[in-house]
């Protein structure tokens, strides 16, 4: 009996798979991939991060390597522009792996509370593999499982 590996179905999924393979031997990991536009004028944005933050040199190297593989393997049909960057402060935290380096920072989190969505602001006190813990302004703490997080964003101090 042979097992088959599922084939990614969307262009973004195919690019993500190539990007993950490209950075597998580095400290970088893929946070998100976005494909905008139409055939012949697409913009492919790949967001990479590292547990200690993604450096400019690391991103430039990853961009060159990823661009080479995308071109060689003809992953994207037609002309496109490749953008490789770190997620930046305005993008939501989407992977549990992103949270630990933000301990001590203020977050705004939208999460599932039963069947409803709730919103809360607080200081990220700690994380585990399964959940984040926020310290609220009244001193209470709130544990939120990552599986319940709808949106979480670092709140900038200005």
């Amino acid at each position: 009996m042979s097992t088959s590996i599922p084939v990614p179905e969307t262009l973004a999924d195919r690019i993500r798979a190539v990007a993950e393979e490209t950075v597998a031997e580095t400290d970088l990991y893929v946070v998100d991939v976005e494909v905008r536009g139409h055939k012949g004028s697409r913009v492919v944005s790949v967001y990479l991060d590292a547990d200690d933050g993604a450096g400019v040199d690391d991103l430039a190297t990853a961009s060159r390597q990823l661009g080479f593989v995308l071109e060689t393997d003809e992953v994207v049909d037609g002309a496109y522009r490749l953008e490789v960057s770190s997620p930046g402060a305005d993008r939501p935290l989407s992977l549990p792996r992103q949270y630990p380096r933000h301990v001590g920072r203020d977050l705004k989190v939208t999460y599932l509370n039963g069947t409803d969505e709730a919103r809360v602001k607080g200081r990220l006190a700690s994380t585990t593999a399964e959940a984040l813990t926020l310290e609220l302004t009244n001193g209470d703490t709130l544990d939120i499982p990552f599986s319940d997080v709808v949106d979480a964003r670092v709140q900038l101090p200005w």
Side-chain angles (χ1 to χ4, degrees):
M1 173 185 239
S2 67
T3 58
S4 62
I5 298 172
V7 176
E9 297 193 19
T10 68
L11 178 56
D13 289 337
R14 291 192 303 271
I15 294 167
R16 176 184 287 275
V18 170
E20 287 173 347
E21 186 175 321
T22 301
V23 300
E25 299 298 318
T26 71
D27 292 336
L28 298 172
Y29 59 91
V30 178
V31 174
D32 198 11
V33 174
E34 292 179 349
V35 178
R36 299 179 303 280
H38 304 285
K39 182 179 174 181
S41 65
R42 288 192 172 107
V43 176
V44 174
S45 297
V46 179
Y47 299 98
L48 304 175
D49 209 345
D51 293 333
D52 295 326
V56 174
D57 292 340
D58 294 332
L59 292 171
T61 299
S63 179
R64 284 190 301 276
Q65 292 171 341
L66 179 58
F68 177 78
V69 175
L70 291 175
E71 286 295 316
T72 303
D73 293 352
E74 298 178 352
V75 176
V76 182
D77 190 24
Y80 67 95
R81 184 175 77 234
L82 175 63
E83 299 175 342
V84 176
S85 68
S86 61
D90 59 334
R91 294 192 58 83
L93 302 176
S94 58
L95 302 172
R97 185 174 181 177
Q98 292 178 276
Y99 287 80
R101 76 172 220 236
H102 294 291
V103 169
R105 292 186 174 159
D106 290 334
L107 297 184
K108 181 166 69 170
V109 180
T110 303
Y111 65 100
L112 296 176
N113 187 8
T115 58
D116 297 324
E117 284 189 3
R119 289 174 183 75
V120 65
K121 289 182 184 179
R123 185 164 304 253
L124 182 59
S126 64
T127 67
T128 66
E130 295 82 29
L132 64 97
T133 300
L134 287 181
E135 183 180 316
L136 307 177
T137 55
N138 65 5
D140 290 345
T141 59
L142 175 64
D143 293 326
I144 304 172
F146 289 119
S147 59
D148 290 346
V149 174
V150 174
D151 187 79
R153 296 175 189 261
V154 175
Q155 298 300 286
L156 300 175
W158 52 85

